[in-house]
Amino acid sequence: MCAILAVQAQPMGGMGGMRGGMGGGMPMGGMRMGGGMPMGMMMGAMGDEKPFFELESDSIVQACLYDLPFILDVKKSEKFGKIVKMEYEEVCRTIQMEVISNLINNQIAAQGGMRGGMGFGAEQKDLDQSAISEQLEPVLKRYAKKYRKMLDDEQYEQWQVIEDKRYGRGLGYLLAHVCDNTSIDF
C-alpha cells in the first residue's frame, strides 16, 4: 500500500507534501529540492499547523482513558493522559520517519535512481513492519517504565493488555494510518 502511495505521491498545495505541515517536499537531508528552508525552520514558518498525530492525540488520550478497565483519580488521570499523548506522538513520529524514508527511496527508484538515471541502484521496497517494530521497542519500553511507576500491579497488567493490542496486532492499523496521512512532494 505504501509503495503505491510513493508512485502516486502528488503535491498537496501550499508548501505541499506531508499533511499537517511537516511536508514541503523535504528530503531527509534538510533542504527542499531547488532551494527552500531547513527542516527545523519549517514548523515556525508555517504557523500553528501540526502533524496529524499531534492534532488527533487529545482524542486518542480521551479514548484511552475511557477504555481503561480501572479508575484513576483526577491527578493521576491527568498525568497518565500526558504520558499516553507523548507516547502516541512519539510512536507516530517514529513510524512517519520510516514511511518518509521509504517513500523517498521508492520515488528515487521510480525515477531511475539519482542524477538522471545514473542511479545508485535504488529499488522500490515495501515497508518492513518487523524493522519498525524493532525501532518502536525501546520507545515502548521507556513508556512502560513510566506507566509501571504510576499504576499498581493489577492496573499495569490491564494496561499492558491494551498496549499489546495497540502495538502488537494493531501496529498494522497504525502503520496504515500513518501512511495514509503522509506523502512527499518532489
Side-chain angles (χ1 to χ4, degrees):
M1 181 170 115
C2 288
I4 293 170
L5 287 173
V7 174
Q8 295 178 343
Q10 299 175 1
M12 299 186 65
M15 290 187 76
M18 194 178 315
R19 293 176 200 150
M22 294 267 304
M26 298 289 292
M28 296 299 285
M31 290 302 283
R32 180 183 172 104
M33 291 187 151
M37 63 182 85
M39 224 178 205
M41 294 175 62
M42 287 200 52
M43 292 307 287
M46 297 184 76
D48 292 335
E49 290 187 56
K50 295 180 179 181
F52 73 93
F53 49 83
E54 286 184 20
L55 293 173
E56 65 190 14
S57 60
D58 288 333
S59 61
I60 296 293
V61 169
Q62 289 304 314
C64 284
L65 291 174
Y66 181 79
D67 289 342
L68 286 179
F70 50 85
I71 305 295
L72 295 172
D73 64 40
V74 175
K75 191 173 182 177
K76 260 191 180 177
S77 182
E78 282 181 26
K79 186 176 179 184
F80 187 81
K82 286 179 184 179
I83 294 172
V84 170
K85 181 176 180 166
M86 289 186 320
E87 177 187 23
Y88 176 75
E89 290 178 2
E90 188 170 348
V91 165
C92 285
R93 195 173 296 113
T94 300
I95 293 172
Q96 191 170 51
M97 294 310 293
E98 284 300 309
V99 169
I100 290 170
S101 176
N102 184 265
L103 289 173
I104 290 171
N105 182 57
N106 287 343
Q107 186 70 26
I108 290 169
Q111 294 174 354
M114 300 182 116
R115 300 187 187 205
M118 298 169 28
F120 296 103
E123 61 184 62
Q124 290 192 355
K125 297 180 182 176
D126 291 331
L127 276 170
D128 184 356
Q129 189 168 331
S130 62
I132 292 172
S133 293
E134 286 178 21
Q135 283 190 346
L136 291 178
E137 194 172 315
V139 173
L140 299 178
K141 282 183 181 180
R142 186 168 18 101
Y143 283 98
K145 287 179 185 177
K146 293 178 182 189
Y147 295 127
R148 185 73 193 121
K149 289 179 183 177
M150 181 181 303
L151 304 172
D152 65 32
D153 291 340
E154 186 179 332
Q155 291 172 335
Y156 181 74
E157 285 179 28
Q158 292 172 340
W159 177 246
Q160 283 304 112
V161 170
I162 294 170
E163 288 280 86
D164 289 345
K165 199 178 293 182
R166 281 176 54 189
Y167 297 120
R169 292 176 287 157
L171 181 60
Y173 169 78
L174 189 56
L175 183 60
H177 179 60
V178 173
C179 284
D180 289 344
N181 286 283
T182 305
S183 64
I184 57 172
D185 178 17
F186 274 88

